[in-house]
Amino acid sequence: LSMMWGDSNVGKTFMALHLAACVATGIDFFGHATRQGDVLYVIAEGQGSFGSRLRAWERLNGKNVGEHMSFVTTAIQLHDD
């Protein structure tokens, strides 16, 4: 479980998407080996443009995240049981 935060327009979404997609497809993350696994990505902001960003990543890397990546588009209250 991880979370990224920071100032606006510094690339958080692109970094998180790249990391998640690398794990989902089993490709290296900036030269670091990953082990392919399932990813649950919570889209807390920017839902409107997320699909196009994901498709661009898939085209650039020649990979499809397919069944290894799932998405949540609703708010998650981490303190709720």
Side-chain angles (χ1 to χ4, degrees), residues 13-14 17 43 45-56:
T13 298
F14 288 105
L17 173 60
I43 306 171
E45 298 176 346
Q47 293 176 28
S49 61
F50 190 83
S52 59
R53 292 176 178 182
L54 179 60
R55 286 187 300 278

Side-chain angles (χ1 to χ4, degrees), residues 6-28:
D7 293 334
S8 296
N9 300 312
V10 296
K12 295 179 302 290
T13 298
F14 288 105
M15 180 68 76
L17 173 60
H18 183 55
L19 175 57
C22 284
V23 170
T25 59
I27 66 173
D28 287 356

Side-chain angles (χ1 to χ4, degrees), residues 16-69:
L17 173 60
H18 183 55
L19 175 57
C22 284
V23 170
T25 59
I27 66 173
D28 287 356
F29 176 72
F30 293 116
H32 298 276
T34 66
R35 183 176 45 161
Q36 185 176 21
D38 294 332
V39 174
L40 177 63
Y41 192 107
V42 178
I43 306 171
E45 298 176 346
Q47 293 176 28
S49 61
F50 190 83
S52 59
R53 292 176 178 182
L54 179 60
R55 286 187 300 278
W57 185 95
E58 289 176 328
R59 278 193 309 274
L60 179 67
N61 291 281
K63 298 280 186 179
N64 185 315
V65 298
E67 62 193 41
H68 292 286
M69 201 163 171

